[in-house]
Amino acid sequence: LELSTLVQQTRLGHGAEEVRQEAATRLQADPSLVDETPFLFIGSQDQVVEKLLALRQELGIHHVVTRDPDDFAGVVDTLAGQ
């Protein structure tokens, strides 16, 4: 069994905090839930890398599909070989 996630929105770097707040408002949720969900990757590149590693360790998610491969490329480069 392979667990995966389909990431609905990514935003790395500049403007990420604003996007995080917008997502929380749109979802009518606390911003901390935006940080925790495996369906939104919003923050600095380091934050997203840490989130991915935590998802792998805590939930066993090894396969990630994103709708924004260009924004996500730096994360993939950082995680290559891990």
Side-chain angles (χ1 to χ4, degrees), residues 39 48 51 79 82:
F39 306 112
V48 171
K51 182 175 183 173
L79 291 172
Q82 289 193 28

Side-chain angles (χ1 to χ4, degrees):
L1 178 67
E2 184 175 295
L3 299 178
S4 66
T5 183
L6 173 57
V7 180
Q8 300 299 311
Q9 183 178 15
T10 59
R11 180 58 173 255
L12 278 65
H14 180 72
E17 182 57 32
E18 182 178 326
V19 170
R20 178 181 175 261
Q21 291 296 328
E22 290 170 358
T25 299
R26 184 177 66 248
L27 297 169
Q28 299 178 339
D30 188 271
S32 65
L33 292 177
V34 172
D35 298 336
E36 295 172 12
T37 182
F39 306 112
L40 301 171
F41 287 172
I42 301 170
S44 70
Q45 182 169 311
D46 288 341
Q47 289 171 319
V48 171
V49 167
E50 287 178 26
K51 182 175 183 173
L52 280 166
L53 293 172
L55 289 171
R56 180 170 33 182
Q57 183 177 3
E58 296 168 14
L59 301 177
I61 294 175
H62 289 271
H63 185 250
V64 176
V65 178
T66 179
R67 296 172 182 254
D68 190 359
D70 294 332
D71 198 29
F72 209 65
V75 173
V76 172
D77 289 342
T78 300
L79 291 172
Q82 289 193 28

